[in-house]
Amino acid sequence: MRQQELTAILALAAALFATHAAEAQDAKPAAQNAAPPNIRYIEVENRDLTVPGIELTVEQLEELDIVNASGKRIGGVDEVLSSADGTIVAIATEVGGFLGIGDRKVILSLDQIRLQDGRLATQLTDAQLKALPAQD
């Protein structure tokens, strides 16, 4: 009987490990594609500037929803961000909460988003979005 219990425990442990490994593997692409953490981002104050690659003004961009890879709304644009030299490079949005509770701010670089059907879309999955580092 002990050997059967040990076999069952080992099978359960292997299944849990495989699940955790698969989740960790899903998270890797987001971490690799995340906006570089060593850049000091500055909120763009000039609302009339055109965002490169999206061809909307900062003001227009801040009115858009953002959807994830499965088409689910993940939030809206909280801030449009530039690098120290003034180049617009990213947006900030809040993800992961429910009805505004538990949200955390993350940064999506411009190459992680595109304009699609009047919304911003990202190919990042929920797991990849959760893996992005929280920003202050």
Side-chain angles (χ1 to χ4, degrees):
M1 192 78 166
R2 282 234 187 249
Q3 189 172 9
Q4 289 174 339
E5 290 172 352
L6 181 59
T7 302
I9 290 171
L10 289 174
L12 178 61
L16 289 173
F17 177 77
T19 301
H20 177 70
E23 289 173 358
Q25 192 172 24
D26 284 346
K28 284 181 185 175
Q32 292 170 351
N33 294 332
N38 57 348
I39 293 178
R40 183 175 183 282
Y41 296 102
I42 303 163
E43 183 176 2
V44 176
E45 298 295 330
N46 183 346
R47 301 290 180 241
D48 295 326
L49 287 177
T50 299
V51 178
I54 299 176
E55 305 312 317
L56 295 175
T57 66
V58 170
E59 182 175 2
Q60 292 169 320
L61 194 66
E62 288 179 340
E63 296 174 4
L64 298 179
D65 287 334
I66 305 168
V67 297
N68 65 10
S70 61
K72 181 179 115 186
R73 184 184 185 277
I74 61 167
V77 178
D78 291 332
E79 300 170 329
V80 177
L81 304 169
S82 70
S83 58
D85 69 0
T87 303
I88 298 175
V89 293
I91 61 164
T93 186
E94 292 187 1
V95 298
F98 181 71
L99 298 176
I101 300 171
D103 288 352
R104 60 191 189 84
K105 186 186 292 188
V106 297
I107 294 176
L108 299 175
S109 62
L110 291 184
D111 65 345
Q112 292 176 308
I113 57 175
R114 69 182 187 291
L115 187 61
Q116 175 182 320
D117 301 325
R119 305 181 292 186
L120 290 178
T122 180
Q123 290 303 306
L124 299 178
T125 64
D126 284 339
Q128 291 170 322
L129 288 165
K130 287 177 187 175
L132 292 174
Q135 303 294 316
D136 295 328

